[in-house]
Amino acid sequence: MGKKTEELKKKSERDCLNLISLAKVKSAYAKNLLNVLQLNDIDSFISSERPDFVFENTTMNVGVEHCMIDSLYNEKLASHSKEMNTKIRKAVDKEKVNYSSEDAASFLCECIKQELDATNRFKYETFLNSFKSICMKHNMNAEAYREKLENNNKQTKIVCLIEIPLSFQNTKYMVYEDDNNHCLLLNSIPLTKGMVNLISQMSNFDYAIILTYFKEKKKKKCSLYIFDCKNIEISIGEQRIHLYDSFDYYYKLSNVVTDYNEDVHGITFNINASS
């Protein structure tokens, strides 16, 4: 991994860690655990590798390992968010501030089209397989993180921070439960029995945090759930989490065509597609 790539990776990890303090945490259970693990004081960490962050006080060492699971993961194109972030970064690096309004609008049209195409390709089974692959891979390494941080005079806790970036705000989902299905409007993603079951298998971690967010220009809307990997049922109950069997995006558009109009008032984007 090159130096620039490593720096971007570390910045991405730190940005996710920062989101913990911005998340809307309603449960007293979750707030208490974040406080016990020192994760409310995000500036107190020591930058590290394997695990990514270490928090220390007089009684406890806490290691935090970050991973990202794409909400629009596709088995052909892999991580959609990483692909889009790379594309946008390259465009910005190449053009800096020299983009004309026409170039910028054309670029954004293509980004919008790719977001909608990725939504159309989404399959819950593919998403869950990605969730399993990434979480189990990190779980295999977690015991080594614990050994690295263990101190006879302190407790050691290992936390997996699971980042799930969202492409759309107020997303409408179709959720499935037993033989029923219905629409659900969320600023997060529906949590499923399969996702939580996989977290319960992450035996080398003490806790796992699922953090979802939608990026806006001026603020980030985040949702956070924390799970005790050895007491999953308590975590579900205390945070009043409803679990579904699976989910899909309600609006799935194909044959997407995007263009734009520019006038004295600015640029208007037009989207044509079939459902």
Side-chain angles (χ1 to χ4, degrees):
M1 187 180 295
K3 182 178 179 181
K4 185 173 182 179
T5 303
E6 181 61 32
E7 289 174 351
L8 289 169
K9 176 178 177 291
K10 204 65 187 176
K11 181 182 183 302
S12 176
E13 292 168 351
R14 174 62 197 268
D15 288 346
C16 182
L17 189 70
N18 289 340
L19 291 178
I20 291 177
S21 63
L22 300 176
K24 292 183 178 180
V25 182
K26 299 179 181 179
S27 161
Y29 170 87
K31 289 179 180 178
N32 180 60
L33 276 180
L34 291 173
N35 185 55
V36 169
L37 296 170
Q38 310 168 74
L39 298 182
N40 282 327
D41 185 14
I42 58 172
D43 291 326
S44 66
F45 76 90
I46 301 169
S47 187
S48 173
E49 284 297 331
R50 301 185 179 183
D52 295 312
F53 303 101
V54 176
F55 294 80
E56 295 181 348
N57 63 23
T58 56
T59 61
M60 186 182 297
N61 290 333
V62 179
V64 178
E65 179 69 3
H66 165 271
C67 65
M68 190 186 89
I69 300 172
D70 205 312
S71 59
L72 290 176
Y73 189 89
N74 176 267
E75 55 193 347
K76 280 189 175 181
L77 299 178
S79 174
H80 175 70
S81 291
K82 288 182 179 179
E83 177 195 3
M84 290 300 294
N85 287 343
T86 300
K87 181 177 180 179
I88 292 168
R89 187 177 69 249
K90 285 182 177 179
V92 172
D93 287 347
K94 180 180 178 181
E95 300 295 340
K96 300 300 181 183
V97 293
N98 298 322
Y99 252 9
S100 68
S101 60
E102 293 84 0
D103 289 338
S106 295
F107 178 73
L108 288 173
C109 275
E110 182 59 26
C111 289
I112 293 168
K113 182 181 185 306
Q114 289 192 21
E115 293 282 350
L116 294 173
D117 285 344
T119 304
N120 187 51
R121 291 191 303 265
F122 176 84
K123 293 181 180 179
Y124 171 74
E125 294 78 10
T126 304
F127 167 79
L128 190 64
N129 286 337
S130 171
F131 194 100
K132 178 179 180 179
S133 174
I134 293 170
C135 288
M136 292 301 106
K137 179 180 178 181
H138 283 273
N139 185 60
M140 288 175 61
N141 299 324
E143 194 57 36
Y145 305 156
R146 187 183 306 279
E147 293 174 2
K148 181 179 178 180
L149 298 181
E150 274 186 340
N151 183 308
N152 292 334
N153 299 317
K154 295 183 181 181
Q155 295 184 62
T156 301
K157 300 295 182 184
I158 307 297
V159 180
C160 186
L161 175 57
I162 303 170
E163 172 187 1
I164 306 181
L166 307 175
S167 294
F168 305 103
Q169 182 183 9
N170 293 322
T171 302
K172 196 170 187 179
Y173 297 96
M174 180 66 75
V175 292
Y176 300 89
E177 185 177 13
D178 298 325
D179 295 325
N180 301 311
N181 61 77
H182 64 271
C183 297
L184 191 65
L185 191 67
L186 288 176
N187 268 325
S188 179
I189 66 168
L191 297 184
T192 68
K193 298 169 187 175
M195 294 164 65
V196 173
N197 180 54
L198 288 169
I199 289 174
S200 72
Q201 296 176 40
M202 297 170 66
S203 56
N204 291 329
F205 284 100
D206 296 292
Y207 300 96
I209 295 172
I210 292 181
L211 190 148
T212 68
Y213 64 93
F214 167 77
K215 290 185 178 181
E216 288 185 320
K217 184 176 180 181
K218 295 183 179 179
K219 59 183 178 179
K220 297 182 178 70
K221 295 189 175 181
C222 317
S223 297
L224 181 151
Y225 297 98
I226 184 167
F227 297 91
D228 183 334
C229 295
K230 298 173 179 60
N231 293 286
I232 287 289
E233 293 299 329
I234 292 176
S235 300
I236 294 169
E238 290 289 341
Q239 295 172 93
R240 298 182 179 181
I241 298 171
H242 190 97
L243 299 177
Y244 299 94
D245 293 328
S246 64
F247 67 89
D248 200 351
Y249 289 87
Y250 184 81
Y251 295 111
K252 304 190 79 166
L253 304 176
S254 58
N255 303 314
V256 176
V257 178
T258 56
D259 60 14
Y260 66 93
N261 299 318
E262 185 175 8
D263 56 29
V264 293
H265 301 292
I267 294 175
T268 302
F269 292 96
N270 307 305
I271 300 173
N272 294 296
S274 55
S275 58

